[in-house]
Amino acid sequence: MDDSSTSLSDDGSRRSRRRRLLTFADGALLWGARSSGVLVLLMLASLVVVLAAAAWPSFRAFGPGFLTSSEWRPNELERPMRNEAGQLVIEDGETVMEVVPPEFGALPVVYGTLVSSVLALVFAVPLSLGAAVFLVRVAPKWRIAGPLSFLVEFLAAIPSLAYGVWGLFVLAPLLQDRVEPLLRSVLGPVPGLGWLFRETVEVGGQVVTRDIPLTGRDMLCGSLILAIMIVPIITAISRDVLKAVPRVQIEGSIAMGATWWQSTWSMLRYSRSGLAGAIMLGLARAAGETMAVTMVIGNNNRISPSPFAPAQTMASLLANEFAEASSTLHRSALLQVALILLVMSLFINILARWLVGGSQAHAAAAH
Amino acid sequence: MNETPSKPAMSPVKVEAIDPLDSAVLDMPRQAPRFNVLSAIQNDQPHAPAIHPSVAHGKGIVEIKDFSLYYGPKKTVHSVSLSIPVGHVTALIGPSGCGKSTLLRSVNRLNDLVDGVRTTGDILVGGESVYAPGTDVIDLRRRVGMVFQKSNPFPMSIFDNVVYGLRIHGERRRSVLEEVCERSLRGAALWDEVKDRLQSSAMGLSGGQQQRLCIARAIAVEPQVLLMDEPCSALDPIATLKIEELILEISQKYTVLIVTHNMGQASRVSDYTAFMYLGRLVEYGPTSHIFQTPTLPETEQYITGKFG
Ligand SMILES: Nc1ncnc2c1ncn2[C@@H]1O[C@H](COP(=O)(O)OP(=O)(O)O)[C@@H](O)[C@H]1O
Ligand SMILES: [Mg+2]
């Protein structure tokens, strides 16, 4: 009896030493985790601060008008001066020239970003949800869910440059030579759709209406590339969200006599906030995507209602101009665009995470 | 297991009361009513279930006919034949994992969702085959309602939950939906509690209310049979009591087939009881008979909690 009790206390002290060590390791890990968390926050904060500081000159020069102006002119402009009546001012028989300072307005790129991202969603969402439903409800029966899921995740990992090159050499020529002429011949004559293919521009001081030259490198091509790029991420997250639907929910609707489509609809309905989150994450990705879009969107800082006209997004503007920005104001304006993009992405991401997280907690509670 | 005290006065009386034409009963060993059936089942040898003559007529609303089910290579239900009388509550009892849920879910073919399921034999619901090749499964499930172990209201309003079945079968008329909603909620003893908040989410109801809502949803389409798989196992005693009262009430209009783990519940709510063991039917008869004077000592042993 005595023997066993000493060995027991020995054992006890060894255990308590061990426990102390573990407590220390726990504490160290906790602190490590906390400080990396803080570090990430600090990085984000410093990013915002640095961008805001760099954007300050532009903000001071243009104020809130930066968001509503369509003029993006990095160089100063020399042009004939006109008086209030709009007539040329002539002195000593010569037209007087005036120099207009550079001007920056972000409206076209904000518009380009929003429209290209939303169009991308229009193309990508049905495809992604269809693929996710297939992965969750059909593929397991055929035992191809594993390989297909891998494929989807692989697509998400392809560098955007690769998509861009493909867009430039395959998609854009295809659009230019086949799809867009076909669309023009079919939709062009439809009353009320003329704006799709015609534009009003100022050429050499004259306002003319003409056919939009179909180049294949336009808003449509940019949106399609974006759609292809965000399909994998929306599919993967939607798949996880749909997988989290409790079995008893699906069985519940099937036991009521729901058809395959009706029970699928119940599933989608059950996970709607998670799916909305998946779509928002896709949107955030589309809004921030740079390389591929820059290669195919046509890079024209003009607002055109037609998807067949070249356009520009915030990210593609930065990619195009940042390296060559010579003046402080130009660079500052570009950084202000970057700041707008950052804040926008941040909001979309937070909203998306909140939606996805909420739906998963919801599903977990129902399990 | 083997030291069962033999039961005096039981087996002779019982066997005499049984229809001599019922071969299953005649085949039973009369003299040594030890655990023969259970050991036969454990050794995968043929056995004859004890079927009370009152349920041996084969005119039930649900007729399970020599039905077997395999999950892949694993045989889970072994040639079960069971006749569920119309307008009564029939309880399925037996140790956990003996295939009660599997058998229940075979009636509305919910096992179709599981990969690699194979069946032999057949089940008839209202005289129509469940497993014949041309069966309209959607229509079958419409005629066979189901209430699950875990309540599963859909994330929509109380009203939308109750009329879900009608809606998916194409009913759009508001007046019809409203009428059915009220009738079903009254039928599920839930109307008074929710009538002022039909449009609020069903997820906000308590566990017991959610389960009664699921019952309302199931009876809204007026099924011929209502399947219940341990509907109270996730509920507190008071909610359980309410559901039990509700089952008794419902049984005036509907045929109920209920799986339960709880012997007390089976004896309280059911008119007939089937005892299953390792995927086989062991004994089936009126609940009073099964609980007071069972034919087989095994059944008595299980009911008194000596094994399982
Ligand atoms: N989907 C399934 N796939 C494979 N085996 C299953 C499945 N569902 C149940 N089983 C097995 O079938 C047997 C019976 O299960 P079940 O019908 O749920 O029993 P009970 O409801 O009586 O507890 C168990 O051994 C269980 O492991
Ligand atoms: Mg079960």
Side-chain angles (χ1 to χ4, degrees):
Chain A
M1 255 332 207
D2 264 15
D3 267 14
S4 78
S5 81
T6 38
S7 93
L8 209 90
S9 83
D10 243 21
D11 199 39
S13 79
R14 207 177 313 134
R15 211 177 297 152
S16 80
R17 221 176 306 136
R18 209 176 128 72
R19 190 169 307 144
R20 245 176 289 137
L21 201 68
L22 277 179
T23 316
F24 175 75
D26 262 8
L29 277 176
L30 185 64
W31 274 106
R34 264 188 206 156
S35 41
S36 3
V38 170
L39 200 66
V40 169
L41 278 183
L42 278 180
M43 277 166 62
L44 182 62
S46 80
L47 193 60
V48 173
V49 169
V50 167
L51 273 182
W56 179 244
S58 158
F59 186 77
R60 209 176 34 193
F62 307 112
F66 187 71
L67 275 175
T68 53
S69 158
S70 304
E71 193 72 21
W72 185 272
R73 194 158 34 71
N75 301 312
E76 44 186 39
L77 180 71
E78 210 180 346
R79 66 177 180 198
M81 191 190 279
R82 287 168 192 269
N83 61 17
E84 288 86 11
Q87 292 155 333
L88 293 176
V89 182
I90 299 176
E91 262 172 33
D92 305 337
E94 289 195 16
T95 45
V96 179
M97 302 302 277
E98 65 175 348
V99 172
V100 191
E103 214 181 305
F104 298 98
L107 190 60
V109 286
V110 171
Y111 171 86
T113 301
L114 289 179
V115 171
S116 64
S117 308
V118 169
L119 259 185
L121 285 186
V122 169
F123 297 129
V125 166
L127 192 63
S128 308
L129 291 187
V133 166
F134 181 81
L135 283 174
V136 173
R137 296 216 66 183
V138 182
K141 279 219 169 78
W142 300 351
R143 300 181 199 289
I144 50 174
L148 278 183
S149 285
F150 171 78
L151 199 69
V152 167
E153 263 139 38
F154 176 74
L155 285 178
I158 292 179
S160 89
L161 186 72
Y163 284 106
V165 168
W166 181 82
L168 194 57
F169 290 112
V170 180
L171 186 59
L174 183 73
L175 288 176
Q176 181 180 19
D177 298 339
R178 313 230 171 253
V179 181
E180 290 178 352
L182 183 74
L183 285 175
R184 179 158 62 186
S185 65
V186 173
L187 296 179
V190 177
L193 289 183
W195 56 272
L196 281 174
F197 302 98
R198 292 184 73 72
E199 62 182 357
T200 307
V201 284
E202 202 186 308
V203 183
Q206 279 198 305
V207 176
V208 295
T209 300
R210 57 163 196 194
D211 278 351
I212 297 176
L214 298 180
T215 61
R217 276 183 277 160
D218 49 28
M219 180 74 96
L220 177 67
C221 191
S223 310
L224 283 174
I225 279 287
L226 282 176
I228 293 169
M229 295 181 71
I230 62 177
V231 159
I233 183 171
I234 302 182
T235 304
I237 297 173
S238 308
R239 174 201 58 195
D240 293 346
V241 167
L242 288 181
K243 262 192 187 162
V245 175
R247 210 187 151 69
V248 71
Q249 279 283 328
I250 306 163
E251 288 183 344
S253 69
I254 289 180
M256 292 297 302
T259 62
W260 189 88
W261 283 110
Q262 286 167 334
S263 66
T264 299
W265 180 248
S266 297
M267 256 175 109
L268 293 174
R269 204 192 141 102
Y270 184 86
S271 41
R272 58 189 183 275
S273 77
L275 295 177
I279 293 169
M280 294 299 258
L281 280 177
L283 178 65
R285 176 100 191 256
E289 172 47 44
T290 311
M291 204 55 226
V293 176
T294 308
M295 292 169 82
V296 299
I297 203 165
N299 302 315
N300 187 343
N301 268 24
R302 235 160 33 78
I303 295 181
S304 166
S306 168
F308 304 109
Q312 183 86 289
T313 68
M314 296 194 239
S316 70
L317 176 73
L318 285 165
N320 274 311
E321 296 193 359
F322 198 77
E324 285 131 43
S326 46
S327 73
T328 323
L329 195 60
H330 188 189
R331 187 168 304 149
S332 176
L334 286 171
L335 287 170
Q336 196 178 351
V337 170
L339 185 65
I340 296 169
L341 181 58
L342 176 75
V343 171
M344 209 171 92
S345 304
L346 207 62
F347 269 110
I348 301 176
N349 266 297
I350 290 173
L351 189 61
R353 296 282 169 199
W354 181 69
L355 286 170
V356 173
S359 97
Q360 275 168 1
H362 182 62
H367 264 302
Chain B
M1 272 256 230
N2 285 328
E3 47 186 355
T4 334
S6 60
K7 291 191 55 230
M10 189 210 85
S11 36
V13 175
K14 215 66 315 94
V15 175
E16 272 170 4
I18 281 170
D19 183 355
L21 292 178
D22 187 0
S23 63
V25 177
L26 281 181
D27 288 348
M28 274 165 28
R30 297 178 186 216
Q31 297 315 316
R34 304 260 161 179
F35 273 19
N36 293 343
V37 176
L38 294 198
S39 54
I41 289 174
Q42 278 161 1
N43 298 324
D44 211 8
Q45 284 157 357
H47 78 287
I51 312 279
H52 191 273
S54 62
V55 285
H57 49 62
K59 289 179 218 139
I61 179 95
V62 177
E63 284 289 331
I64 301 175
K65 299 199 154 183
D66 197 22
F67 182 80
S68 301
L69 184 142
Y70 301 77
Y71 286 123
K74 191 173 142 227
K75 193 168 184 181
T76 301
V77 176
H78 295 251
S79 310
V80 169
S81 295
L82 206 57
S83 173
I84 311 296
V86 68
H88 291 283
V89 180
T90 302
L92 282 178
I93 61 170
S96 184
C98 71
K100 308 179 294 293
S101 300
T102 302
L103 186 63
L104 196 75
R105 294 157 59 93
S106 300
V107 178
N108 64 350
R109 278 186 60 173
L110 215 51
N111 285 322
D112 285 11
L113 305 183
V114 181
D115 253 5
V117 164
R118 197 162 57 80
T119 62
T120 62
D122 198 2
I123 297 178
L124 306 182
V125 173
E128 289 178 41
S129 167
V130 170
Y131 284 90
T135 303
D136 180 352
V137 186
I138 303 297
D139 180 62
L140 166 75
R141 291 180 183 142
R142 207 187 142 151
R143 290 185 289 129
V144 181
M146 183 153 191
V147 176
F148 293 77
Q149 194 163 350
K150 173 99 185 59
S151 63
N152 56 351
F154 302 137
M156 36 175 102
S157 72
I158 293 170
F159 178 85
D160 289 341
N161 261 282
V162 178
V163 301
Y164 180 84
L166 268 79
R167 282 224 173 101
I168 62 173
H169 297 119
E171 181 59 69
R172 288 276 170 279
R173 284 167 295 173
R174 190 80 198 170
S175 57
V176 175
L177 297 179
E178 274 168 2
E179 188 198 316
V180 170
C181 177
E182 177 169 349
R183 175 160 43 77
S184 310
L185 284 171
R186 282 191 193 282
L190 194 58
W191 174 252
D192 290 333
E193 288 160 66
V194 301
K195 63 170 185 272
D196 299 323
R197 47 174 174 147
L198 291 178
Q199 294 309 326
S200 56
S201 168
M203 309 310 266
L205 297 174
S206 74
Q209 288 174 325
Q210 286 190 3
Q211 196 61 302
R212 276 181 281 149
L213 178 68
C214 292
I215 293 175
R217 187 174 68 190
I219 62 178
V221 292
E222 312 222 312
Q224 289 177 305
V225 185
L226 195 54
L227 309 175
M228 297 187 165
D229 192 350
E230 303 194 30
C232 305
S233 65
L235 300 180
D236 62 73
I238 292 174
T240 299
L241 200 68
K242 278 196 179 155
I243 301 274
E244 286 182 5
E245 283 169 3
L246 179 56
I247 293 171
L248 286 175
E249 180 122 359
I250 281 178
S251 68
Q252 326 238 316
K253 267 187 84 182
Y254 297 95
T255 306
V256 177
L257 182 55
I258 180 173
V259 168
T260 174
H261 218 80
N262 179 331
M263 293 308 118
Q265 183 167 79
S267 68
R268 282 191 297 273
V269 303
S270 72
D271 306 311
Y272 297 92
T273 298
F275 169 42
M276 289 179 69
Y277 184 71
L278 292 183
R280 281 86 165 176
L281 181 63
V282 178
E283 179 160 1
Y284 179 37
T287 299
S288 56
H289 168 78
I290 297 277
F291 277 81
Q292 285 152 26
T293 53
T295 307
L296 299 176
E298 292 85 340
T299 307
E300 148 130 9
Q301 291 285 315
Y302 179 70
I303 280 161
T304 52
K306 300 227 170 66
F307 79 95

